Amino acid sequence: MRRWIWPALLALTLWTAPRPAWAAINCSISTVGVAFGSYNVFSGAVLTSTGSVTIRCTGVGAGIAPVSVFLNPGLSGSVQPRKMISGAERLSYNLYLDSSGADIWGDGTAGTQQYTGMLTNNRTVNITVFGRIPPGQDVAIGTYSDTIVATINF
């Protein structure tokens, strides 16, 4: 009789035990682009602006999980500096994790940093993207743009 009790109890324990690894994490992710406005080629000041990455997740197993966000180099293929394009013209700029422009936001290579933080179940994480265009660039009037892809790992 005792031989059958252990397997029956073991099966019951496995069946009723929590399975956090099987829980589905559902996230909504949105971005607001960095819009610099007008660049004045005669100004000696850095032109700054901000954008954002917003993440909200539910189903985070223990209620908290690590998250990292990488930004690719954009259409120019370089982060040192990134370049916005208008026809044949190029306007250097970059994206940063901090307002001072010390930490270039990239993928962790070539002197860049990635965003790292923690997700809390059913809470919104707002991450500011700081953009800066250095002064003294002699570029033609036009509409300059770039496309950046954010990769979010959680």
Side-chain angles (χ1 to χ4, degrees), residues 50 79 84 94 120 135 145 150:
T50 60
V79 294
M84 288 185 278
N94 227 323
T120 303
S145 64

Side-chain angles (χ1 to χ4, degrees), residues 1 3 9-12 29 31 42 48 56-58 72 84-85 90 93 101-102 108 133 135 148 150 153:
M1 210 41 133
R3 297 175 85 195
L9 288 176
L10 180 60
L12 182 60
I29 301 163
T31 60
F42 301 111
T48 63
R56 183 178 183 95
C57 296
T58 59
N72 81 340
M84 288 185 278
I85 300 168
R90 304 290 182 263
Y93 79 104
I133 300 176
I148 302 296
N153 297 309

